[in-house]
Amino acid sequence: MTTRSLRKSPPKLLVPTLVILFLTCLFGIITNFQTISYLFRPLWDKPPPPFKRIPHYYAENVSMAHLCELHGWTPRAEPRQVFDAIIFSNELDLLELRWQELGPYVSKFVILESNTTFTGIPKPLFFDSNKERFAFAEGKIVHGVFPGKKRLQGIQQEDPFLLEGQQRVAMNWLLKEAGVSDGDAVIMSDADEIPSPHTVKFLQWCDGIPNVMHLEMRDYMYSFEFPVDYSSWKASVHIYSRKWTQYRHSRQTDLILSDAGWHCSFCFRRLSEFVFKMKGYSHADRVRRKEFLDYSRIQKHICKGYDLFDMLPEEYSFKNLISKIGPIPPSASAVHLPAFLIQNAARFRFLLPGGCLREP
């Protein structure tokens, strides 16, 4: 047996990777502080405490009673009411996909939209002007409008995260208008964070689930052709209490239900929708150069799996950072995706493998 010392010769992939890191670092120093900050994040930042993962048991043709028991929960005699509450911007395709997928299990769809973006740009009420598209959910929809704050010329822009937070506070009022009661289940997530139907069925039919738990979702970028990882955790479920429940989109507990849905970021049909989000969401400061909004550049980045903002991954270790540098590898699998998507594959071709080309 031959023993090789790792000190004498680094792994073949390490040297080019270090060269890439060095060049990235040099470019970051020249162009912007954000890149260099992300590059050295493992040195200046610490990861949050790990979640306590709840195993997720599911298979077709297995009774809900048995599935509840596998989780240590108790089957219910009657289904619990489930309220799906989201802040909405312009994700019309994903909203249809979400509501079609969850319709049989959700009691009320609670949706709040504003007449401005989080960055203060005036915008249409996209849901309100497309209500006919969602006639299939009529009777379940509770829609509210939040009066946004328009950005004024010559005045310092208000923190977009503050404006986003104000909308989430307003959702508490809208939930009460929707008739939520103690003991009901409330899903708190963004429109592109879609719980799986069997996750929502647990909320309906199982007693003993935690009063608050996050939902681990598989992360996708641009479409379901580009799976990233399972790092999405901000979606959560609450057993509602008038005294304690507050609508939030941040960490609220250490408990997380494993593999509970899909998070499809920047999954738009049209290039104009990409630009709208890039300019209007809370991280709009990532648009550092005008060419980031160029349609041809965006189209190239979508099909290649590149980051739209030329950013490094947000990681807390150099090992994870190095492993994620570069384009997202595409997947040819369309298995374990929302059923409505597969049933309507022709309409939603842009969300499936091989459908990276977008409309203007």
Side-chain angles (χ1 to χ4, degrees):
M1 181 177 69
T2 304
T3 303
R4 297 182 180 178
S5 172
L6 293 179
R7 295 181 180 179
K8 291 182 180 179
S9 58
K12 291 181 180 179
L13 292 177
L14 182 58
V15 172
T17 301
L18 290 175
V19 171
I20 292 172
L21 278 175
F22 173 77
L23 294 175
T24 304
C25 174
L26 183 62
F27 181 75
I29 294 172
I30 296 171
T31 56
N32 74 95
F33 175 76
Q34 193 174 50
T35 300
I36 191 76
S37 175
Y38 275 45
L39 178 62
F40 289 107
R41 185 172 198 151
L43 299 180
W44 60 263
D45 201 3
K46 293 181 179 180
F51 282 103
K52 297 176 182 177
R53 298 185 179 278
I54 302 172
H56 189 157
Y57 300 96
Y58 173 76
E60 294 182 10
N61 303 318
V62 178
S63 70
M64 280 307 302
H66 184 57
L67 291 172
C68 290
E69 290 165 358
L70 284 173
H71 291 82
W73 304 330
T74 306
R76 291 173 58 94
E78 297 291 334
R80 176 189 285 112
Q81 284 208 112
V82 178
F83 289 72
D84 182 36
I86 61 170
I87 306 293
F88 182 75
S89 177
N90 67 323
E91 309 93 341
L92 288 167
D93 285 302
L94 285 184
L95 184 66
E96 181 182 358
L97 177 60
R98 179 193 188 101
W99 283 4
Q100 288 279 12
E101 193 76 2
L102 302 184
Y105 319 105
V106 167
S107 309
K108 293 286 185 181
F109 290 115
V110 187
I111 179 170
L112 180 66
E113 64 176 335
S114 176
N115 58 355
T116 69
T117 67
F118 294 148
T119 54
I121 300 172
K123 77 172 190 67
L125 298 175
F126 286 105
F127 174 78
D128 193 54
S129 57
N130 288 274
K131 279 184 177 179
E132 69 285 348
R133 182 172 177 178
F134 303 93
F136 63 88
E138 192 174 1
K140 288 189 175 185
I141 301 171
V142 179
H143 173 239
V145 175
F146 181 85
K149 294 183 179 180
K150 295 182 182 179
R151 183 170 57 192
L152 300 175
Q153 233 176 0
I155 298 178
Q156 185 176 2
Q157 179 184 336
E158 195 163 352
D159 184 353
F161 288 100
L162 178 62
L163 296 177
E164 180 179 347
Q166 290 171 353
Q167 289 193 37
R168 299 195 188 280
V169 171
M171 177 61 85
N172 292 306
W173 168 83
L174 193 59
L175 277 165
K176 292 175 182 176
E177 288 288 308
V180 68
S181 300
D182 285 357
D184 293 339
V186 179
I187 300 168
M188 302 182 185
S189 72
D190 284 347
D192 59 4
E193 298 166 335
I194 306 174
S196 62
H198 50 85
T199 296
V200 182
K201 287 170 74 174
F202 287 140
L203 307 182
Q204 277 189 304
W205 289 105
C206 300
D207 270 337
I209 64 176
N211 288 332
V212 182
M213 66 178 177
H214 286 281
L215 301 178
E216 179 191 65
M217 297 187 173
R218 186 162 196 188
D219 250 326
Y220 295 84
M221 187 64 68
Y222 312 138
S223 74
F224 294 102
E225 182 175 12
F226 293 100
V228 182
D229 54 24
Y230 282 91
S231 63
S232 180
W233 57 266
K234 288 189 176 181
S236 63
V237 171
H238 297 241
I239 302 302
Y240 187 80
S241 165
R242 283 172 293 177
K243 290 184 178 180
W244 309 113
T245 302
Q246 293 293 318
Y247 190 92
R248 293 169 59 188
H249 196 241
S250 56
R251 185 155 177 170
Q252 300 160 74
T253 177
D254 289 339
L255 298 176
I256 188 167
L257 180 64
S258 299
D259 199 4
W262 311 272
H263 181 192
C264 202
S265 298
F266 281 92
C267 291
F268 295 112
R269 182 185 298 272
R270 299 176 182 86
L271 296 171
S272 58
E273 294 170 322
F274 281 83
V275 170
F276 180 86
K277 177 167 182 176
M278 292 169 75
K279 293 166 65 176
Y281 83 140
S282 297
H283 294 288
D285 60 321
R286 294 176 177 176
V287 183
R288 303 187 306 274
R289 297 191 293 277
K290 186 178 179 180
E291 58 264 29
F292 280 15
L293 303 177
D294 181 75
Y295 279 13
S296 60
R297 179 187 181 275
I298 294 172
Q299 180 62 82
K300 177 184 175 182
H301 278 54
I302 294 169
C303 287
K304 295 292 186 181
Y306 296 148
D307 186 90
L308 286 174
F309 306 99
D310 289 347
M311 291 178 59
L312 290 174
E314 298 182 58
E315 294 295 338
Y316 296 94
S317 74
F318 286 116
K319 178 182 177 181
N320 290 341
L321 178 64
I322 291 170
S323 70
K324 290 187 178 180
I325 286 179
I328 304 166
S331 169
S333 173
V335 180
H336 304 305
L337 297 181
F340 183 77
L341 171 61
I342 303 303
Q343 291 162 355
N344 296 271
R347 279 188 60 209
F348 294 97
R349 188 74 186 89
F350 70 99
L351 291 176
L352 293 168
C356 71
L357 294 179
R358 297 300 200 267
E359 301 173 19

